Amino acid sequence: MKNSVLYTQSTPAIIPRLIVGLVFLSEGVQKFIYPELVGTGRFIKIGFANPEFWANFTGAFEIICGLLILLGLFTRLASIPLLIIMLVAFVKTKIPILMEKGFWSMAHEYRTDFAMTLLLIFLLCYGGGRLSLDRKYFSNDTK
């Protein structure tokens, strides 16, 4: 019975950690592998000043924070820079779509960002769960 409770309570945090961690890790790596498409080139297209710096800075944070979230280490802290990245992405890429093409076009383009943002908010609020390094090293919970 005790093991089934542990499993049930741990699963909800594992799933968001896997989704968020793997997506951001993948996106961060791609900024370096395909800079013309999703790195510097994309940041030029969006209109960033000093696009190479910002693409590399963002990619590095996506990789580091994605790995931390996968491990469940400093989960809440690692969620914050990723939420900032999502906010900047919304302002720089989705608001212009809203203004030019309307709500439904923006909603279509924002669907993945919206899901990732909600998962990040979940991780910020609830942490990495029972099967995380946060729990192992930083929890006062003795169960």
Side-chain angles (χ1 to χ4, degrees):
M1 179 71 174
K2 191 174 182 180
N3 287 338
S4 66
V5 171
L6 174 65
Y7 175 78
T8 303
Q9 292 174 344
S10 298
T11 303
I14 291 170
I15 293 169
R17 278 186 23 224
L18 286 172
I19 295 167
V20 169
L22 290 172
V23 168
F24 277 104
L25 175 62
S26 169
E27 289 298 314
V29 168
Q30 289 180 64
K31 282 179 176 57
F32 294 101
I33 296 174
Y34 307 112
E36 65 284 347
L37 295 174
V38 293
T40 303
R42 175 99 170 112
F43 280 65
I44 290 169
K45 183 179 175 185
I46 295 170
F48 275 83
N50 202 354
E52 185 174 7
F53 168 80
W54 286 111
N56 292 335
F57 182 81
T58 302
F61 266 93
E62 289 175 342
I63 292 168
I64 292 165
C65 294
L67 285 171
L68 288 171
I69 287 174
L70 278 173
L71 295 170
L73 182 61
F74 304 114
T75 305
R76 287 184 167 111
L77 186 61
S79 298
I80 295 169
L82 298 178
L83 277 167
I84 293 168
I85 289 169
M86 296 308 296
L87 177 63
V88 171
F90 176 75
V91 169
K92 295 292 274 181
T93 65
K94 302 316 184 271
I95 288 180
I97 293 171
L98 177 64
M99 295 300 159
E100 293 172 19
K101 298 180 181 178
F103 174 79
W104 293 112
S105 292
M106 185 278 299
H108 173 74
E109 293 294 327
Y110 187 55
R111 67 192 185 281
T112 303
D113 294 357
F114 179 70
M116 294 299 293
T117 301
L118 290 180
L119 290 171
L120 283 165
I121 292 169
F122 173 89
L123 292 172
L124 181 63
C125 291
Y126 297 105
R130 288 185 171 258
L131 298 178
S132 67
L133 293 177
D134 287 336
R135 165 87 195 263
K136 182 174 182 174
Y137 294 114
F138 305 113
S139 177
N140 292 330
D141 188 4
T142 57
K143 293 180 187 175

